[in-house]
Amino acid sequence: ALARLAVDAKIPEPIRAEALAMLGQWEKPSGRDRVTGLWRPLAARNPMIAAQALEPKLSDLLRAGSVTIKVATIRAAAQLRISSATDAAFEIIRESKEPAGVRVAALQSLDTAQDARLAEAVKVALHSGDEALRKEATKIQAQLQPGDAIAQLRSMLETASLGEKQNAFATLATLTNSASADELLLQWLDRLLARQVPPELHVDLLDAAAKRTTPAFTDRIRKFESSRQADDDLRSWRECLSGGDVAEGRKIFVERAEVYCIRCHKAGGEGGEVGPDLAGVATRRNREYLLESIVYPNKHLAEGYESVIVTMKNGTTYAGIVKSETAAELEINSPEDGLLKLNKANIKSRERGLSGMPEELRQILSKRDLRDLVEFLSTLK
């Protein structure tokens, strides 16, 4: 049924992609319901059932004009270890007219399958005009030929685009058993201490260095941390102000279940109304304010979204955002109870509440996540 739905062009693409994702995870599905988020674990299942349902439809799905469907198909086939799909994946990598996202998924699928043509595919990808494909190929090549990768990564850090430089540090982070990788990272840490590294690379360099625990690395990281201004509330987060990826930031805003920003905030006309509508926020606030609102949500509460905790004379307590107020009535929007109109004569006490945004966001999101989210919010003009 899922395979039939996936090839039905009359069905909306997001639903078809969801069907393909469910097929790919057939053997070991997530214990969390993909729609409701509730914990509903399923037993492990035979992947051959899903593979046999999907394989006859691969050619039709890969001929689809949709990037979303092609990527979902390639990923599902790789998860189900459908060997015939690797031939198609190899041809996709060689076809320069294919969208970058599709070629990246194809390269990842060959890597997952440890296909004999992987080295040849990586070579093709490294000479591609698509930056995303080159970045993925760089990661894989570093694992295939770590000895040859350092020279290329060194060159990329000096001359490549910002995205490729960030990817070079991410690749170096994986080469934890390479003395040459350690040497290159130490050289860049020295440049960081000398303030010769662009801010857009700070997160990536520090993340890669943090994977090492030798004194040479920990001492340099400690020196950098101690150089931060003690009276700066954002001292631990300033590297998140620039260099993010807009597309990844939007995914965090819309899709990440741990934070699920869109549940409370609108962006582009979609989302909840518990928090401020973020349309045009980048024209009203700078990046520092945006970052501070995420890591210290109670420092500045948006006007009109101050929360209150109201205790009624009968002992009932309500918490929510003040929507309107008259001499006789207080209207609040409660996440638990919806819109409430409370008679002021029945209110025993009223206290200022905390922001509806949890303080824990800075612990849930990595610095790379925060950087991407700030980058996305800065586009809402």
Side-chain angles (χ1 to χ4, degrees):
L2 287 169
R4 286 197 301 270
L5 190 151
V7 295
D8 190 343
K10 297 189 293 294
I11 300 294
E13 282 185 9
I15 297 178
R16 295 172 65 195
E18 179 71 13
L20 288 162
M22 293 173 74
L23 282 169
Q25 296 177 13
W26 187 265
E27 181 179 13
K28 296 178 181 179
S30 169
R32 194 170 299 281
D33 187 292
R34 290 174 63 88
V35 177
T36 66
L38 297 176
W39 185 253
R40 292 177 174 171
L42 299 173
R45 300 177 291 196
N46 183 355
M48 291 302 297
I49 296 172
Q52 289 167 1
L54 180 59
E55 187 168 19
K57 305 183 187 303
L58 285 177
S59 59
D60 289 339
L61 287 165
L62 292 175
R63 282 200 299 269
S66 165
V67 171
T68 300
I69 299 303
K70 284 184 175 182
V71 169
T73 300
I74 292 167
R75 288 177 177 168
Q79 288 174 295
L80 294 170
R81 299 180 289 279
I82 299 176
S83 57
S84 62
T86 58
D87 292 336
F90 184 70
E91 292 305 318
I92 285 172
I93 295 166
R94 293 172 53 175
E95 178 50 70
S96 60
K97 293 182 181 179
E98 285 283 359
V102 177
R103 298 175 78 191
V104 168
L107 185 58
Q108 290 170 337
S109 72
L110 289 184
D111 184 30
T112 300
Q114 289 297 290
D115 189 272
R117 296 162 293 184
L118 179 59
E120 184 180 351
V122 166
K123 185 176 180 180
V124 171
L126 286 171
H127 292 87
S128 165
D130 292 324
E131 180 178 311
L133 186 59
R134 294 197 305 272
K135 287 164 64 175
E136 189 62 33
T138 299
K139 293 179 187 177
I140 296 172
Q141 186 195 41
Q143 300 304 320
L144 292 175
Q145 299 173 314
D148 298 336
I150 300 302
Q152 182 183 0
L153 293 172
R154 187 186 300 276
S155 175
M156 289 175 65
L157 287 171
E158 298 294 347
T159 62
S161 66
L162 173 62
E164 289 178 297
K165 289 178 180 179
Q166 291 176 337
N167 184 67
F169 281 124
T171 303
L172 284 168
T174 67
L175 302 177
T176 53
N177 295 318
S178 168
S180 298
D182 288 356
E183 180 186 359
L184 181 55
L185 282 172
L186 288 172
Q187 291 171 3
W188 274 85
L189 281 175
D190 288 338
R191 291 170 66 167
L192 178 67
L193 292 172
R195 302 185 183 278
Q196 296 173 353
V197 177
E200 294 84 359
L201 296 177
H202 286 192
V203 168
D204 312 279
L205 172 55
L206 290 169
D207 277 358
K211 298 292 191 297
R212 275 77 174 171
T213 57
T214 59
F217 284 93
T218 56
D219 289 348
R220 285 170 170 82
I221 293 174
R222 191 180 302 112
K223 286 180 182 178
F224 174 76
E225 294 295 338
S226 64
S227 71
R228 298 180 189 266
Q229 295 183 15
D231 60 348
D232 180 8
D233 288 342
L234 287 177
R235 59 185 176 275
S236 297
W237 317 99
R238 286 212 165 265
E239 53 265 37
C240 304
L241 287 170
S242 58
D245 184 298
V246 174
E248 291 301 316
R250 187 181 189 283
K251 284 183 183 178
I252 293 169
F253 187 91
V254 175
E255 299 175 12
R256 283 282 286 274
E258 308 97 302
V259 293
Y260 206 27
C261 310
I262 201 168
R263 175 175 53 193
C264 296
H265 295 282
K266 277 189 176 180
E270 298 180 355
E273 297 182 351
V274 175
D277 188 337
L278 297 180
V281 68
T283 63
R284 303 187 300 271
R285 302 293 185 180
N286 60 23
R287 288 175 181 245
E288 289 192 3
Y289 180 92
L290 296 175
L291 177 59
E292 195 169 57
S293 297
I294 300 170
V295 297
Y296 299 118
N298 287 294
K299 188 170 183 179
H300 303 292
L301 296 182
E303 185 178 350
Y305 289 88
E306 301 87 353
S307 63
V308 292
I309 300 172
V310 178
T311 302
M312 309 301 289
K313 291 179 179 178
N314 64 4
T316 305
T317 300
Y318 300 105
I321 306 296
V322 176
K323 300 303 290 183
S324 64
E325 185 173 3
T326 66
E329 187 177 74
L330 175 67
E331 183 179 23
I332 67 172
N333 187 359
S334 167
E336 293 82 15
D337 305 295
L339 284 174
L340 297 171
K341 294 185 178 182
L342 306 176
N343 188 331
K344 282 188 169 182
N346 296 326
I347 294 177
K348 178 182 178 181
S349 65
R350 171 179 172 176
E351 302 173 34
R352 180 181 181 273
L354 297 175
S355 167
M357 271 180 65
E359 290 272 358
E360 293 79 11
L361 285 184
R362 62 177 180 265
Q363 298 170 336
I364 295 172
L365 297 174
S366 69
K367 287 190 176 182
R368 184 174 282 106
D369 291 335
L370 288 169
R371 183 176 68 178
D372 291 340
L373 190 52
V374 168
E375 197 69 33
F376 166 67
L377 294 174
S378 70
T379 66
L380 301 179
K381 298 180 179 179

